[in-house]
Amino acid sequence: MEIKTGVFTDIIFHNEENGYTIAEMETDSELLTVVGNLPRAVKGTCYELTGEFKIHSRYGEQFAFSSAMEKLPGTKLGIEAFLSSGVIKGVGPKTATNIVNFFGEDTLEIMEKNPKMLCKVTGIGPKTAEKIAVSFAEHKEFANVSMAFQDMGVTASQALRLYKEYGKNAVSIISENPYRLVDELYGFGFRKADEVAEKMGVAADSPFRIQSGIKYGLAAYANDGSTYVPEEILCENIAQMLDLTREQIAEGIFDLTISGDIQADEVDGEKVVYLFPFYNGEQAVCKNLNSIANAQLKTLTVDVDKCMEMTEKATGIYLSEGQKEAVKKSVNSGVSIITGGPGTGKTTIINAIINIFEENHLDVAIAAPTGRAAKRITETCGHYACTVHRLLEYFYSEDTGDMQFGKTWEEPLEHDVVIVDEASMIDLMLMKGLTDAIRPGTRLILVGDSDQLPSVGAGNVLRDLIVSGFVTTSKLAEIYRQARESMIVTNAHRINHGEYPALNSKDGDFFHMERNNEIKMRELIVNLVKNRLPSYYEGIDAVRDIQVLSPTKKGIVGTLELNRILQENFNPHREGVAEKKFMDRVFRVGDKVMQIKNNYRMDWKILSQGESGQGVFNGDVGFITHIDTDNQNVTVIYDDEKYVEYDFSQLDELELAYAVTVHKSQGCEFPIMVMPVSWFPPMLATRNLLYTAVTRGKKVVVLVGSENRLRAMVDNDRMKLRYSGLAHRLSNLMAFEK
């Protein structure tokens, strides 16, 4: 093995995810092409590399290094190149030159030991000097941490996240129990932690490994929507995954039950296992709903029928008998549900209910699970609506390390009525938070379409509430006359009933364009979004008003590939437009992006109102307004007003959103929706998913693909199995009360 020390003069290739790097390196005596893994590869950085020369069949002689240690430069030229590289926040090429001209070869020592002296340099104030000092210290610490993790098989981007989470002690913390990576670090899977543990010499039958494997298995089911797993299935799956016996897994389940991490129980006579928060969540929701449903309500002093008549005369919209009955049930119940498909008048009923309560001088709060859904309610109902999270005054707790709500059973909501729209999106833990904060005597009204895809989070709340029979439920089936004129509404109901949609009616709003080749599907989708639809429909913005949906992320017509090609068409690389490459994606100023995880710590500001807060949520869509390479951050604006700043290391929380999955589109409406229809895995190509996709389109729906595949989706009435105990518990509660 040889050791080579020199400066990177050019970065030929660097993969930010796994660290694979090809670079040109200049030593005191030669120019080399070097190949290996580095957490960061920046032009101007000096490294000591250990490796050997190899001959590549295509690229010739290369120095393949197996280990690397960053070396800080000692010459003025080297220091200036290092500072100009952008690795230190607050220092660009001009500032780097000024600093080195002032301090010469003592620059780095000044930055480390006496950074206040940087203020002597023109253009650097105390705040900038402090930022430079902090960034320089972090750079040195991270260099040491990342090199240590590299030997464990931890990738560059993962090492950066570990450093952000644990600081300079990251290596020692993880060495104690590498499986904590799974619990504490977003995106770090059990299998990767298992690889790290193996390299650290952790035994295959270690209690750490077994217990982490069990929690991983439960979490995997939770990510697919289940709140529990049958014990027999869990033992079998985890035993196979860990290559251990079922008895060893059962022992691990017992230990985790004793520690309180999980809960063993029975559902419908079957032994099941919960992650404790979901067990506690189901218990709490049942208790809360029972209290709310059976509490004494404030008496309505104004006649409900007369209020409905006044509303009808004022709006010119007249309620059917079924809708009137739904209104009466809701205003007279502690907890109620209104469910129905598009065009059945849910919004009209919400307005009628609000008017009745306002006539009775009751305080009404309206909310929805997402910001986009809340904004739509405000626009359609004329009443202010916010997200459920905002209603509950969410905040990030430094003590517990997770999201908390300011409104709880100890400090409940003061409203007399709480109405939640798009209730199919409410998962178990959000329902717990909501019902915890509603004091008995408050009316809770849930409105939603139970035939849409269930929540992204664990649980099957709306359906469970309906199936249990515990909650007063009004099911709307009659379609309004105006809605019947829309083929989107008509076809949505046809699909939901297992009937094939009527295609391409004259002057309609629901279109199917036959293509049997996925490449041609993709080409047509791009042409429709970029040219044909904006030119045909006046006032349509191709990026803001047209949303491409797909059942899947993968493949030629999956969201990853569609986003790549749509970005090329709407926001290609060009001089003067800042961009940042991160892993397998490129972000540019102007890109439409989506937040893909809940981040309760993320700061946001509404500049026009001087308002600020925390929390950006899974499914939020915005646009990149600024990319700052000096300070290594990206600014995104959500809802045309809320600015969020992402550090480069946080870009794994963003995806391009020119195309999104149907699941991610829940709770949204788009003026125009376009979706490919091809072969998709049977669990995705379902009637339920097609129905949800079609109901996202407000004015126009365009399906591009095979009519045979479209019909096959209608025929496929499979529902992805979710293990959820809420209906079971509510049914037992009803039986007990009888």
Side-chain angles (χ1 to χ4, degrees), residues 503-504 510-515 702-707 710:
L503 304 177
N504 302 329
F510 189 102
F511 303 96
H512 169 257
M513 306 183 77
E514 183 75 22
R515 294 292 187 279
V702 185
L703 303 178
V704 177
S706 162
E707 184 174 352
L710 176 61

Side-chain angles (χ1 to χ4, degrees), residues 143-397:
N144 295 331
V145 168
S146 63
M147 292 306 170
F149 275 126
Q150 183 176 300
D151 294 336
M152 302 175 192
V154 177
T155 67
S157 62
Q158 290 167 341
L160 182 57
R161 290 204 295 272
L162 289 171
Y163 175 71
K164 292 280 185 183
E165 188 73 18
Y166 305 119
K168 62 183 180 182
N169 297 319
V171 177
S172 60
I173 289 171
I174 297 307
S175 296
E176 292 174 7
N177 175 15
Y179 292 100
R180 68 185 297 167
L181 292 168
V182 184
D183 298 328
E184 300 177 18
L185 201 62
Y186 168 71
F188 210 106
F190 174 81
R191 297 184 190 282
K192 189 65 191 178
D194 213 24
E195 290 176 16
V196 174
E198 186 177 8
K199 289 180 180 178
M200 290 181 172
V202 177
D205 60 353
S206 160
F208 283 141
R209 182 170 186 257
I210 294 172
Q211 292 178 22
S212 180
I214 292 166
K215 289 190 288 184
Y216 167 77
L218 288 168
Y221 272 93
N223 288 337
D224 271 347
S226 294
T227 58
Y228 70 79
V229 184
E231 184 175 346
E232 187 175 339
I233 292 175
L234 181 65
C235 284
E236 181 67 29
N237 289 349
I238 305 306
Q240 284 187 358
M241 183 180 78
L242 301 184
D243 195 21
L244 297 172
T245 67
R246 294 179 59 170
E247 288 72 25
Q248 287 172 303
I249 307 305
E251 186 176 336
I253 289 174
F254 177 80
D255 291 339
L256 284 169
T257 303
I258 296 300
S259 67
D261 289 292
I262 67 175
Q263 179 70 40
D265 198 16
E266 281 195 10
V267 173
D268 294 326
E270 183 176 36
K271 289 184 177 181
V272 302
V273 182
Y274 284 84
L275 285 170
F276 187 77
F278 295 120
Y279 173 80
N280 183 54
E282 287 187 355
Q283 297 280 60
V285 169
C286 288
K287 173 179 171 292
N288 293 339
L289 287 176
N290 191 45
S291 297
I292 299 166
N294 293 310
Q296 182 70 38
L297 302 174
K298 283 188 178 181
T299 304
L300 300 179
T301 57
V302 179
D303 185 85
V304 172
D305 287 313
K306 287 184 178 179
C307 280
M308 283 193 284
E309 287 178 18
M310 290 170 55
T311 301
E312 288 176 330
K313 288 177 181 178
T315 62
I317 299 174
Y318 293 87
L319 301 174
S320 68
E321 289 305 313
Q323 290 166 333
K324 288 179 181 179
E325 186 63 27
V327 171
K328 291 177 183 178
K329 281 184 178 181
S330 296
V331 300
N332 291 318
S333 302
V335 183
S336 60
I337 293 172
I338 299 169
T339 183
T344 55
K346 295 190 296 295
T347 301
T348 302
I349 290 175
I350 291 174
N351 278 329
I353 290 171
I354 293 170
N355 289 340
I356 290 169
F357 288 133
E358 289 182 343
E359 284 292 323
N360 283 274
H361 305 291
L362 298 184
D363 181 17
V364 181
I366 312 168
T370 68
R372 288 172 293 170
K375 188 174 182 180
R376 182 170 56 79
I377 298 164
T378 302
E379 293 168 350
T380 56
C381 290
H383 297 273
Y384 171 74
C386 64
T387 64
V388 176
H389 287 85
R390 192 160 190 175
L391 177 70
L392 299 178
E393 298 179 4
Y394 69 89
F395 66 95
Y396 179 80
S397 170

